[in-house]
Amino acid sequence: MIFKSLTTRVIVTLVGLLSVGIGTFTYFNLKREKDQLVKATRENAYLLLDTIERSIYKSMSVGDTQDVQVMLQMVGHSHSKLIGVRIFHPQGIVLKSSRPEEVGMPVPEGDYQLFINNRKEGVYSSDAFGEVLGVIKPIYNDVLCQRCHGTKKRLIGVLNVNYSQVETNRRILEATRLSLVSTGAVILFCAAAISLVIVRFVRQPLNNLIDSMARVEEGDLSVRITPVAEDEIGRLIVSFDSMVGKLDKAKRELEEYHFQQMERADRLASVGEMAAGIAHEIKNPLAGISAAMTIIRQDFSDEDPRKEIIGEVVEQVSRLDKTVNDLLFFGKPTPPEPTYADVNAILRKTLLFALQHKGGKNIAKSLDLADGLPEIFVDPKQVQQVFLNLILNAIQAMQADGGTLTVGSSLVDLDGKGWVRTTIADTGPGIPEPIIGKIFTPFFTTKAQGTGLGLAICHKLITQHGGTLSVTSEDGKGTVFTIDLPVAAYEEGAPEEEA
C-alpha cells in the first residue's frame, strides 16, 4: 500500500539511486586505498631488499660473512613490520637470518613456494605472524663470488624479506569501517533532505489539491488554494483555481438559465391552456363565417369584383382556422396512434400533397430514398404532418429565387441501435447563426404571418415517437433538417409484413 504513493516511490527511487552511486564510489575508493597501502608495503620491501643486497654483496666480496649475519640481525630489528630477513640455500635451508634460531632450519613453506614457482613476491598465511608478504631475490654467482663459491654453481642463495600484513590489514579495515559509516551517514542525511523537500514542496501541495478536489466533487465550488511557489505545482494550483472558478460561474449561469426556463415553461403552459380555450371558442364562429362567406361568394358572378374580395376573406379565415388548430394541438396534443409504417411511403404521399403548393413550380425536386428500409412504429398521420411542414418551409425558403428540394432516407447505426434517417434539404438562403438555436422555441417566428408553432409542434411530435429532430444550416447555401426515428422492435408473434 505504501508504494501506491507517488512521493514514496520518488523518495525510494532517489534514495536507491543515491545509495548505488555513493556505494559504487565508496567501493572504488576503498579498493584504490587498499591498493595504495599494499603498493606502499611492497615498495618498502623491495627498497629494503635492494639495500640489503648491496650491503651483502659488499661484505661477501671481501669475505666477511660474519658481518652479513650481524647486519641481517640489525635490519630485522629495525622495523616493527619486518618479520625476518634471511638468505636461504636453493634447496630450502636457511643460511643467514635476522633470527639466529632459523639458521640451518628449513625456510618457511610460503617463501620456498615462491622460489619454486619462480615468483618474486606473494602473500601467504602464517600461524605465528598471520598474513605475511614474502619477497625473494636470487643471489647469482658473480665473478667476485666465484673466489669462495667456485664456478660450478650459478645460483648460490636466495635473499628473502618477510613483511607483516597485520598492520596494513588493520588500516584497511579501519578505512573500510570509516567509509561505510560515512557512506551510511551521507545516505541517511540525503534521504532525510530529499524526503523533507519532496514532502514539503510536492506531497503537501498535492494533498491540499486532492482535498480541494474532493470538496469540489461534493459540490463546494467556493474552494480556492493559495500557491506557495511559482513552480509546476503552483501553476497546477492556479489552473485548478481557474477551472473551479469557471465551473462556479457556469453553475450559476446554468441555475439562472434553469430558473428562467422553468418560469418560461410555466408561462407557456398557462399561455397554452389559455390559447387552447380561446381557440376552442373561436373555432366554431370561424366555421360559420367560412360557410357563410362561401355561400355569399356563389351569389356573385365571376366578373363582379366583390367575389374576389369575398375569396380573400375566405382565404384569411382558412389561415385563422389553421392557427386555431395549431394552438389547440400545442395546448392539448393528440395522443399518437402508432402502427408499423414504411417511411418511404409516407414521404412519397407527403410530396404528392406538397407539390400542389403554388410556390413549388420553379423548384427542382430530388428523391434519394434507400430501398429495403425496416419499418418504424409511428403514427403515420403525425409523421406526415412533420414531413409536410418541413417540406413546405423548404419550398417557401426557395420560392423567391428557386432552388432544389432534396428528400432522402437511409438506415444508420447510433450507439449500436438501428435508426431510420430522413433528410429534407433546400438550397435557400439558410438560417442565420443567432436564430438557428431558437427555431424550435414555441411562438418564435421570423415570418410576417406565422404563429411560431410549426417547428415547435414538429419537434414535439418527433420527440413523442422516441426520435430526434435536428437542423444544420449554412448562411447563404441552404438548410438541412434531419429526422431520426428508431427501427421498429416487433413484438413476439407480430408479423413483419403488417404495417
Side-chain angles (χ1 to χ4, degrees), residues 27-303:
Y27 169 77
F28 285 108
N29 189 51
L30 280 174
K31 188 174 183 300
R32 183 181 62 83
E33 188 171 351
K34 180 179 179 181
D35 292 341
Q36 287 179 348
L37 289 173
V38 174
K39 181 181 179 182
T41 303
R42 289 174 179 171
E43 288 176 350
N44 290 334
Y46 278 108
L47 180 62
L48 181 62
L49 197 67
D50 291 339
T51 302
I52 294 172
E53 182 185 21
R54 286 194 296 269
S55 299
I56 291 175
Y57 184 79
K58 183 177 180 181
S59 298
M60 295 293 285
S61 62
V62 296
D64 191 357
T65 60
Q66 188 63 32
D67 284 348
V68 174
Q69 177 63 35
V70 174
M71 183 189 62
L72 291 180
Q73 290 179 357
M74 290 178 61
V75 172
H77 295 86
S78 65
H79 202 290
S80 60
K81 292 184 180 181
L82 192 59
I83 297 175
V85 182
R86 65 181 66 86
I87 299 173
F88 64 86
H89 192 273
Q91 293 182 356
I93 303 300
V94 178
L95 300 176
K96 305 286 183 181
S97 177
S98 61
R99 300 168 64 194
E101 66 271 13
E102 286 186 344
V103 177
M105 301 293 291
V107 72
E109 182 64 24
D111 292 311
Y112 192 64
Q113 287 297 322
L114 293 176
F115 173 69
I116 294 298
N117 295 321
N118 197 25
R119 294 174 58 192
K120 292 183 179 182
E121 64 177 64
V123 177
Y124 62 90
S125 181
S126 170
D127 294 337
F129 302 103
E131 198 171 88
V132 177
L133 172 63
V135 181
I136 63 172
K137 188 170 186 180
I139 302 174
Y140 294 100
N141 191 8
D142 291 338
V143 176
L144 293 176
C145 299
Q146 291 177 1
R147 291 181 298 175
C148 299
H149 297 281
T151 59
K152 293 183 179 181
K153 296 180 180 180
R154 181 174 178 272
L155 185 64
I156 59 176
V158 179
L159 180 60
N160 176 213
V161 175
N162 288 147
Y163 257 92
S164 174
Q165 291 288 93
V166 174
E167 180 64 19
T168 301
N169 290 338
R170 185 186 65 79
R171 292 175 62 183
I172 292 174
L173 182 60
E174 287 181 355
T176 302
R177 289 175 178 172
L178 180 62
S179 297
L180 290 177
V181 172
S182 301
T183 301
V186 170
I187 291 175
L188 288 177
F189 175 78
C190 292
I194 290 172
S195 301
L196 181 63
V197 170
I198 290 180
V199 169
R200 174 68 180 84
F201 295 104
V202 177
R203 186 169 187 173
Q204 288 181 359
L206 285 179
N207 285 339
N208 293 337
L209 186 60
I210 291 172
D211 294 340
S212 300
M213 291 178 68
R215 290 173 59 187
V216 171
E217 188 177 1
E218 292 174 357
D220 184 6
L221 296 180
S222 63
V223 177
R224 297 295 184 273
I225 308 175
T226 302
V228 296
E230 296 182 357
D231 53 9
E232 290 81 358
I233 301 293
R235 292 197 294 270
L236 179 62
I237 291 174
V238 171
S239 299
F240 171 80
D241 287 345
S242 175
M243 179 192 69
V244 174
K246 292 178 180 178
L247 285 175
D248 190 25
K249 181 181 178 182
K251 180 184 177 183
R252 290 196 300 269
E253 291 177 351
L254 185 61
E255 288 175 348
E256 183 179 355
Y257 177 75
H258 179 69
F259 179 74
Q260 292 175 354
Q261 289 296 102
M262 292 296 294
E263 282 189 332
R264 185 169 176 277
D266 290 340
R267 289 197 302 269
L268 285 177
S270 301
V271 171
E273 292 179 2
M274 181 181 67
I278 294 175
H280 184 73
E281 295 297 327
I282 294 176
K283 189 173 179 62
N284 290 334
L286 281 178
I289 292 172
S290 177
M293 287 288 110
T294 301
I295 294 173
I296 293 173
R297 184 185 181 189
Q298 294 175 357
D299 293 338
F300 297 104
S301 63
D302 294 338
E303 292 79 11

